[in-house]
């Protein structure tokens, strides 16, 4: 058996000393031919492994370089140096994998996030990305824990679909047909997808919601947690072409029930990370504070990361309607002084992220849930309100991010739903299976989608969504 190692995190927090053990990890630094700072990814804190002078051959010493992988056996003893409780007095060091110090791109110094994005395959070995991805893991775990405790069924919805769940036409096509012009054609010259792998035109899913609704009509409460794909050409710090989404769907829920669940859910997962990943969050808070110092005073956020998370967990989200939000925006000095790139002129316009952020960061200074949007700017499946102009939608907006959740009560009335689909040119024949839920035992139901990377951004304070997913996909980029 090879793996007899102990995790560094465990050794560092324990009060146990004076015992023999084995550690394995990657060398961060090696000082004075004596002190190895060893990291195994369990924590940002390194274990100091002390090599007794003269105990190792010159040739081995030379191979202990930044980035090299080693196995160290020795005694855990109280540390004399400051900064750590314990250290290892090594009795043997084995090089598992060499790393050419001249060529290893990660030097023991500060690298820019842009540079690290180019070497995303190695950036896990930095403190920042170590912390970010451990927090990402914790949030994913907390999500499953939250729904599991409530009796929700985790549903795996398909990645390849023939439908456009959002009706926005932002899909990546999936095909095995040749792209060299020899694909089979119909009489009118269009591609004959009957000859394609699935016998029809297919794409990567933009959302698991529609399939989720079908399952909610049997299990009552389900959630999905999987990758979704959008071919929108958005080069922003909040958009990815491949992102992960959590989509709960609940039978017997109205819009208010939906908002209550979403708010409790967000608070729970943030709290989980604060309770279980405090060290990583404190590191990220420090990182953010330094980054903020580079900004002009008036652009700095008023709260530090920990303070912000604490605040969100302990305060009610502000709830208001789209109409109320438009009034606030229209009357704002910001709007009157023409400071919005897209001025708010009339009811009915879609909110841009500058408007969302104004509401959240300047006006309310807390997360906001906006409800009852004009039906024209929302998806076909949202429940139509009695006023004939709005739908029972809800978006949750977070400071620094903007929209993190989009959801709604669903239109469960078959006639209203098909009528809306026709108005919006959504093909009802193709979605006949979806409409069956309205034919056989329909019930009031609701759900929402949380953009996983956006909540990871919020919790870690990372400014760019490309830095909270291991290998980001965005326009003109699909490396690794
Ligand atoms: O608002 P959206 O488009 O809603 C839906 O997909 C619904 N089917 C959800 C539901 O009701 N079940 O997307 C939901 C969330 C957004 O609020 C945002 O957080 C995230 O998904 N999102 C993105 N995240 C990263 N990159 C993108 N391109 C995103 N598009 C949406
Ligand atoms: Mg949305």
């Amino acid at each position: 058996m090879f793996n007899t190692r102990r995790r560094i995190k465990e050794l560092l927090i324990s009060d146990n000393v004076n015992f023999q053990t084995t550690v394995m990890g990657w060398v961060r630094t090696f000082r004075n031919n004596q002190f190895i700072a060893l990291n195994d990814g369990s924590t940002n804190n390194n274990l100091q492994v002390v090599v007794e002078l003269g105990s190792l051959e010159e040739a081995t010493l030379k191979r202990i370089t930044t980035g090299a992988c080693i196995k160290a056996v020795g005694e855990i003893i109280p540390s004399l140096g400051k900064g750590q409780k314990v250290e290892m007095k090594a009795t043997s060091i084995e090089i598992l994998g060499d790393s050419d110090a001249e060529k290893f791109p990660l030097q023991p110094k500060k690298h820019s996030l842009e540079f690290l994005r180019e070497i995303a395959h190695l950036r896990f070995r930095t403190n920042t990305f170590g912390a970010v991805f451990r927090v990402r893991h914790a949030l994913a775990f907390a999500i499953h824990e939250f729904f599991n405790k409530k009796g929700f069924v985790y549903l795996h919805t398909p990645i390849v679909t023939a439908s456009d769940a959002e009706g926005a036409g932002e899909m990546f096509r999936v095909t095995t047909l040749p792209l060299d012009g020899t694909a089979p054609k119909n009489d009118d010259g269009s591609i004959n997808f009957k000859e394609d792998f699935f016998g029809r035109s297919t794409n990567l899913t933009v959302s698991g919601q529609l399939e989720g609704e079908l399952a909610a009509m049997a299990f009552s409460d389900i959630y999905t947690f999987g990758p979704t794909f959008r071919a929108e050409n958005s080069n922003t710090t909040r958009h990815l072409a491949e992102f992960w989404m959590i989509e709960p769907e609940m039978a017997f829920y109205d819009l208010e029930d939906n908002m209550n669940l979403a708010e409790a859910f967000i608070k729970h997962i943030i709290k989980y990370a604060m309770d279980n990943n405090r060290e990583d969050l404190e590191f990220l808070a420090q990182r953010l504070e330094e980054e903020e110092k580079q900004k002009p005073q008036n652009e700095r956020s008023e709260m530090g990361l920990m303070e912000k998370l604490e605040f969100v967990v302990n305060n009610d989200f502000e709830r208001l309607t789209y109409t109320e939000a438009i009034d606030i925006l229209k009357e704002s000095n910001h709007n009157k002084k023409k400071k919005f790139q897209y001025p708010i002129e009339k009811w009915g316009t879609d909110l841009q992220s500058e408007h969302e952020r104004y509401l959240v960061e300047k006006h309310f200074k807390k997360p906001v849930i906006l409800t009852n949007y004009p039906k024209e700017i929302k998806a076909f499946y949202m429940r139509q309100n009695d006023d004939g102009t709005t739908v029972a939608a809800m978006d949750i907006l977070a400071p620094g991010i903007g929209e993190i959740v989009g959801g709604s009560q669903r239109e469960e009335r078959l006639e209203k739903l098909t009528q809306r689909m026709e108005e919006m040119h959504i093909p009802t024949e193709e979605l006949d299976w979806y409409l069956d839920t309205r034919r056989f035992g329909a019930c009031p139901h609701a759900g929402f989608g949380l953009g996983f990377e956006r909540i990871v951004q919020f919790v870690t304070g990372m400014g760019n969504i490309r830095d909270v997913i291991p290998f980001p996909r965005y326009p003109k980029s699909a490396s690794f």
Side-chain angles (χ1 to χ4, degrees), residues 166 207 209 230 232 240 245 247 403-406 410 449 451:
E166 291 301 301
S207 153
Q209 179 196 320
R230 305 247 168 128
E232 51 185 333
L240 290 166
M245 186 155 49
E247 294 186 276
E403 180 190 336
I404 53 168
V405 161
R410 317 305 188 192

